[in-house]
Amino acid sequence: MKKSSIFGIITIAVAIAIIICTYGSASTYGTFKDADNNNGELHIIGHIDKEKGMVYDATKDANYFSFYMRDTIGNERKVVYTGTKPEDFDRTDKIVLVGQMNKGEFHASHILMKCPSKYKQDKLDVNADTKKASI
């Protein structure tokens, strides 16, 4: 065989291996209902239920944080995160959890959040009573 044929076969094999690895590690988005039926890791988008409260006490256990979240279709579950409470967590609107269900609770390995105050531009209030100079 020619060297170019061997190089081409090796290149194709490497490309196929990369595609398989990427496909296998690609995460999927879903709801809590999907997480109930799935044993793998799942991304869930939702809103925090601030009325039910959050449990985090750094003096007792700094690596335990729990709260309730409602997903995009309205299902609510208790979320347990084994890590410290993220900074500005109380001010966020929407979060994405990465994790899996365990005995009716969603155990998150990562919490991704976007704080809307960081992305809103400051708005300048303009008075309607301003007078225009006439020439």
Side-chain angles (χ1 to χ4, degrees):
M1 264 203 243
K2 293 183 180 180
K3 289 182 182 181
S4 61
S5 298
I6 294 173
F7 180 72
I9 291 172
I10 291 173
T11 303
I12 291 172
V14 169
I16 290 172
I18 290 172
I19 290 170
I20 290 172
C21 289
T22 303
Y23 180 74
S25 67
S27 57
T28 57
Y29 283 83
T31 62
F32 285 128
K33 189 173 184 177
D34 298 332
D36 285 331
N37 301 325
N38 187 358
N39 291 334
E41 202 164 70
L42 198 64
H43 285 67
I44 298 179
I45 301 171
H47 295 278
I48 305 161
D49 187 352
K50 294 181 181 178
E51 293 179 6
K52 289 206 173 180
M54 300 174 205
V55 176
Y56 180 69
D57 188 358
T59 57
K60 288 184 181 179
D61 187 0
N63 290 323
Y64 180 84
F65 174 49
S66 70
F67 58 95
Y68 286 86
M69 186 180 100
R70 191 172 300 275
D71 65 11
T72 54
I73 61 171
N75 295 325
E76 185 176 78
R77 290 291 183 343
K78 180 179 181 179
V79 177
V80 175
Y81 176 61
T82 53
T84 59
K85 181 179 176 183
E87 189 175 328
D88 294 333
F89 187 80
D90 299 329
R91 297 187 324 168
T92 189
D93 285 342
K94 196 183 240 188
I95 62 172
V96 178
L97 300 175
V98 180
Q100 59 188 4
M101 291 299 280
N102 186 4
K103 299 178 184 174
E105 298 175 339
F106 190 81
H107 287 254
S109 58
H110 295 25
I111 297 177
L112 311 169
M113 58 185 197
K114 176 181 170 183
C115 184
S117 64
K118 292 181 183 177
Y119 301 101
K120 288 184 182 177
Q121 292 181 350
D122 293 333
K123 294 184 180 179
L124 180 64
D125 291 334
V126 179
N127 251 341
D129 296 336
T130 57
K131 296 179 184 178
K132 293 183 181 179
S134 58
I135 300 177

